[in-house]
Amino acid sequence: MFRIDAHQHFWKYNPVRDQWINGSMLAIQRDFLPEDLQPVLQRNGIDGCIVVQSDQSVEENYFQLKNAMTHEFIRGIVGWVELQAIDIDEQLQYYRQFNKMKGFRHILQGERQRDFMLQTEFRRGISLLRNYNFTFDLLVLPDQLKYTIDFVKLFPDQPFVLNHLAKPNIKEKEISSWRRDIIALARHEHVYCKLSGMITEADWHTWQSSDFIPYLDVVVESFGMKRLMFGSDWPVCLLAGSYEKMLKVVTDYFSSFSKDEQELFFGGNAIQFYKLI
């Protein structure tokens, strides 16, 4: 079985650019580079990873492309492009030359306009991704799921993957409206879901594995085992524990599932979605 971590980040910490890493996040206020992650993956039996953008800039793409070109274990990149740009078609055509550039992400969760994704110019950019076989990672919060459902309906041939289960409020055990919208979103079979970022949505210091079971039950029942992927969200996961603790949550949960289902979750689905082979 080829095991893939479908969601992690690298950065050279810049306090101005990376203002989202606030005073409560001292554990990640430093550089995190491929040399830091590789031994962690090896120790945990993970064969490769997908690095996802954390800064919305062209410089971020070049930084991650350089990382991927010099480290074979980085199997793919989810970068960023200005999807509203007039020349977006030319930009996508340019990035198609890089085999490890698999798709793009926009930090929709941070947009003041909560239905930003439904803007005409943004939708135009999304409509062009399929021409170049690019995927799109959905980074949204629970209040944006209702718009996300309308959004993905518009692009039935575009592969989407939801990041971090849309960040449900696990700390306060809020689940009702999130469950309703996840079920509706999952009805669209071109949408996948990453089981990533969970421990940072719980209480960082007192969470227990049982806190995640109701949320995992919902995504498994909604998406099925052919549309779920493991992602660590390293190094952000270090705020609430360790790589090993994040991995153990899902390893324990799926321990009673069939070998085939576990192989899909821990690698097969990511390989298929991001076309890693």
Side-chain angles (χ1 to χ4, degrees), residues 203-252:
D203 188 296
W204 291 359
H205 307 292
T206 63
W207 65 263
Q208 299 178 14
S209 294
S210 58
D211 295 337
F212 308 106
I213 291 175
Y215 302 90
L216 292 169
D217 286 346
V218 169
V219 294
V220 169
E221 291 169 11
S222 302
F223 286 93
M225 289 306 296
K226 293 183 178 180
R227 289 189 287 147
L228 297 177
M229 307 177 198
F230 164 68
S232 66
D233 200 26
W234 180 95
V236 182
C237 66
L238 302 180
L239 295 170
S242 65
Y243 193 101
E244 287 75 12
K245 288 181 178 179
M246 171 61 198
L247 179 58
K248 189 175 188 302
V249 169
V250 289
T251 300
D252 288 352

Side-chain angles (χ1 to χ4, degrees), residues 7 32 50 57 104 117 134 142 149 162 216-217 245 269 271:
H7 197 105
F32 287 93
I50 300 291
S57 69
F104 298 97
M117 67 198 72
F134 284 128
I149 295 162
L162 182 66
L216 292 169
D217 286 346
K245 288 181 178 179
N269 292 334
I271 290 168

Side-chain angles (χ1 to χ4, degrees), residues 22-52:
N22 59 41
S24 69
M25 302 180 180
L26 296 178
I28 60 173
Q29 284 186 354
R30 63 177 181 87
D31 297 353
F32 287 93
L33 300 171
E35 295 79 11
D36 301 306
L37 179 61
Q38 189 168 19
V40 177
L41 297 183
Q42 290 175 340
R43 189 165 64 242
N44 289 283
I46 307 294
D47 302 293
C49 64
I50 300 291
V51 59
V52 180

Side-chain angles (χ1 to χ4, degrees), residues 57-69 77 79-80 94-95 97-98 101:
S57 69
V58 173
E59 291 75 21
E60 171 81 352
N61 292 338
Y62 290 134
F63 172 63
Q64 303 301 356
L65 282 166
K66 183 179 179 181
N67 287 330
M69 288 174 182
I77 301 166
W80 176 85
Y94 170 77
Y95 284 116
Q97 70 181 294
F98 302 104
M101 186 65 81

Side-chain angles (χ1 to χ4, degrees), residues 158-184:
Q158 172 60 46
F160 292 105
V161 59
L162 182 66
N163 291 181
H164 314 321
L165 293 75
K167 296 189 172 182
N169 189 353
I170 299 171
K171 183 177 180 179
E172 301 299 332
K173 295 181 170 54
E174 294 178 3
I175 195 169
S176 180
S177 60
W178 171 84
R179 179 201 289 119
R180 178 198 64 220
D181 291 337
I182 286 291
I183 291 170

